[in-house]
């Protein structure tokens, strides 16, 4: 086809995307979409590993994430947005991978452990414990060279590399060992200043938040607790808003730091500036979101993307079956 290297990434459709997703990996995907042949997988089956009872919401979430992608700047003419459950070869490949992936490796996966704890899972479901294997199949079926993701995905990428290497050794070297690309800001702090930004922790600024929502959220964000009056010297190193200035407002960083330490800029003014900067970032996203408002347009994009992805998946699976000698009636 194009001779470009290929990217594959994905997200579970479990809710609106926020600034943490944006700086963690979305911005990389947008930047790289021209240079690479890019595939973005909406991992609806993987979403069921934690939300298995929410069939109806799943469809809305798929549309929601699609409009977030397009708003963030993914161009459907460059990047292929596709739906995991519709690419049935992925599940076939995952089954083959699962034959030689030890359960203990999955049990010790730090992201699996953290997520199990977060969701209060004790007796782990088979699908949940095994989703990194299916994720390896997501990546391998596209023969992706690069996978731009957030830091929490690194253990899954290590496993994917291992599974691919083993496949190539066992059968025939037809699969590509993927490289991981972690965003510059691998972990964006939440508005509460405690944990990373996350929808379930209710500390997130969403890409779809309007200027007034952004201001209300930033206004209530946790800052330096030792600073009560504007003239008190501030401690930017403990301030959530300063963390955001670091990420979103580099050009004013030094002056804000100095003014804060000298008690010259108050928290309200500093937050106002921060809200402005975030709203500037989000404004073009709101405009793009308007262009893709119609559900029919989104359906067309998903249908076409999924069709393109199915072609790639079919062709890889031909090679996989041939390598494994699981080919009948030829
Ligand atoms: N596990 C990823 C997440 O929770 C989503 C995902 C599914 C993914 N398949 C993928 C990421 C393949 C990268 C590549 O965000």
């Amino acid at each position: 086809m194009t001779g470009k290297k290929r990217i594959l990434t994905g997200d579970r459709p479990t809710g609106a995307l926020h600034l943490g997703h944006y700086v963690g990996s979305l911005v990389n995907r947008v930047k790289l979409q021209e240079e690479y042949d890019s595939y973005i997988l909406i991992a609806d089956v993987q979403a069921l590993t934690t939300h298995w009872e929410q069939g109806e919401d799943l469809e809305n979430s798929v549309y929601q994430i699609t409009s977030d992608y397009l708003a963030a700047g993914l161009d459907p003419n460059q990047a292929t947005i596709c739906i995991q459950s519709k690419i049935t070869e992925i599940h076939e490949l995952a089954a083959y991978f699962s034959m030689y992936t030890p359960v203990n490796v999955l049990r010790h996966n730090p992201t699996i452990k953290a997520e199990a704890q977060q969701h209060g899972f004790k007796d782990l479901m088979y699908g949940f414990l095994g989703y990194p294997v299916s994720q390896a199949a997501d990546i391998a079926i596209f023969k992706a060279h690069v996978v731009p993701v957030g830091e929490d995905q690194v253990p899954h990428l290590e496993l994917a590399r291992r599974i691919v290497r083993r496949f190539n050794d066992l059968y025939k070297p037809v699969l590509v060992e993927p490289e991981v690309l972690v965003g510059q800001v691998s972990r964006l702090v939440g508005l509460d200043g405690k944990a990373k930004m996350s929808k379930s922790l209710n500390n997130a600024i969403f890409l779809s938040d309007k200027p007034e929502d952004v201001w209300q959220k930033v206004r209530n964000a946790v800052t330096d607790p030792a600073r009560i009056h504007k003239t008190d010297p501030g401690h930017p190193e403990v301030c959530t808003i300063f963390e955001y200035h670091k990420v979103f407002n580099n050009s004013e960083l030094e002056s804000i730091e100095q003014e804060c330490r000298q008690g010259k800029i108050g928290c309200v003014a500093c937050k106002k500036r921060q809200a402005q900067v975030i709203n500037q970032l989000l404004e073009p996203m709101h405009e793009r979101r308007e262009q893709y408002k119609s559900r029919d347009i989104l359906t067309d994009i998903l249908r076409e993307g999924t069709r393109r992805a199915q072609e790639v998946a079919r062709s890889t699976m031909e090679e996989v079956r041939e390598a494994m000698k699981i080919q009948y009636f030829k």
Side-chain angles (χ1 to χ4, degrees), residues 28-317:
N28 269 338
R29 303 179 196 176
V30 173
K31 244 190 267 164
L32 298 173
Q33 63 181 337
E34 263 181 65
E35 196 185 326
Y36 287 82
D37 185 23
S38 297
Y39 288 79
I40 318 288
L41 183 77
I42 302 179
D44 58 340
V45 178
Q46 194 179 106
L48 294 172
T49 61
T50 53
H51 293 65
W52 58 84
E53 73 294 8
Q54 290 178 12
E56 273 165 47
D57 290 356
L58 198 57
E59 186 175 343
N60 286 330
S61 298
V62 166
Y63 278 87
Q64 158 116 55
I65 203 167
T66 307
S67 80
D68 279 337
Y69 285 156
L70 298 164
L74 285 173
D75 171 356
N77 295 316
Q78 309 247 27
T80 301
I81 303 174
C82 55
I83 300 181
Q84 188 188 33
S85 62
K86 294 247 167 231
I87 306 166
T88 49
E89 287 83 359
I90 290 175
H91 314 298
E92 182 186 350
L93 185 57
Y96 300 152
F97 284 172
S98 75
M99 302 307 161
Y100 62 85
T101 304
V103 172
N104 264 339
V105 173
L106 298 167
R107 280 222 183 89
H108 293 133
N109 179 307
T111 298
I112 286 283
K113 283 198 208 163
E115 286 176 349
Q117 197 180 24
Q118 185 194 331
H119 295 284
F121 296 162
K122 290 210 174 68
D123 186 13
L124 298 188
M125 298 295 177
Y126 170 65
F128 173 79
L129 183 68
Y131 89 71
V133 181
S134 144
Q135 184 160 331
D138 295 341
I139 297 166
I141 211 154
F142 289 99
K143 298 195 179 177
H145 301 91
V146 181
V147 185
V149 282
E151 190 187 38
D152 58 334
Q153 298 297 304
V154 171
H156 299 340
L157 263 293
E158 277 167 16
L159 180 69
R161 289 167 63 85
R162 185 169 158 170
I163 287 178
V164 162
R165 267 201 304 270
R166 187 98 178 94
F167 182 97
N168 287 344
D169 276 353
L170 279 170
Y171 308 110
K172 201 170 159 189
V174 294
L175 300 179
V176 172
E177 224 181 288
E179 273 172 43
V180 58
L181 177 69
V182 176
Q184 237 177 354
V185 184
S186 54
R187 190 171 279 261
L188 187 67
V189 70
L191 289 158
D192 54 6
K194 285 189 210 127
K196 75 167 183 176
M197 190 174 278
S198 137
K199 181 186 158 221
S200 51
L201 296 173
N202 205 13
N203 64 5
I205 296 176
F206 296 105
L207 304 185
S208 49
D209 279 346
K210 292 284 155 36
E212 186 52 28
D213 306 326
V214 171
W215 167 237
Q216 289 307 329
K217 287 183 178 181
V218 168
R219 198 168 71 105
N220 292 313
V222 175
T223 53
D224 174 5
R227 220 174 157 208
I228 295 161
H229 307 291
K230 180 185 154 191
T231 48
D232 295 340
H235 306 88
E237 62 280 1
V238 298
C239 177
T240 314
I241 295 298
F242 190 68
E243 280 301 306
Y244 294 161
H245 279 299
K246 275 194 209 158
V247 178
F248 301 106
N249 192 18
N250 219 322
S251 62
E252 291 180 305
L253 196 62
E254 266 178 48
S255 62
I256 286 175
E257 173 165 12
Q258 272 184 6
E259 288 179 32
C260 172
R261 287 195 196 283
Q262 294 164 357
K264 283 191 184 148
I265 182 174
C267 288
V268 175
C270 181
K271 285 175 160 179
K272 279 215 166 108
R273 186 67 197 117
Q274 183 54 61
Q276 267 173 1
V277 169
I278 291 177
N279 282 326
Q280 269 164 19
L281 174 72
L282 298 184
E283 193 183 285
M285 300 196 200
H286 297 318
E287 283 168 19
R288 278 191 295 261
R289 193 182 296 276
E290 276 300 299
Q291 290 169 28
Y292 293 112
K293 216 170 42 183
S294 131
R295 192 130 169 149
D296 288 347
I297 295 183
L298 297 178
T299 302
D300 284 347
I301 291 171
L302 288 172
R303 192 178 277 139
E304 173 57 17
T306 300
R307 191 194 60 74
R308 291 207 294 255
Q310 282 166 339
E311 267 177 30
V312 176
R314 271 185 210 131
S315 129
T316 304
M317 280 317 283

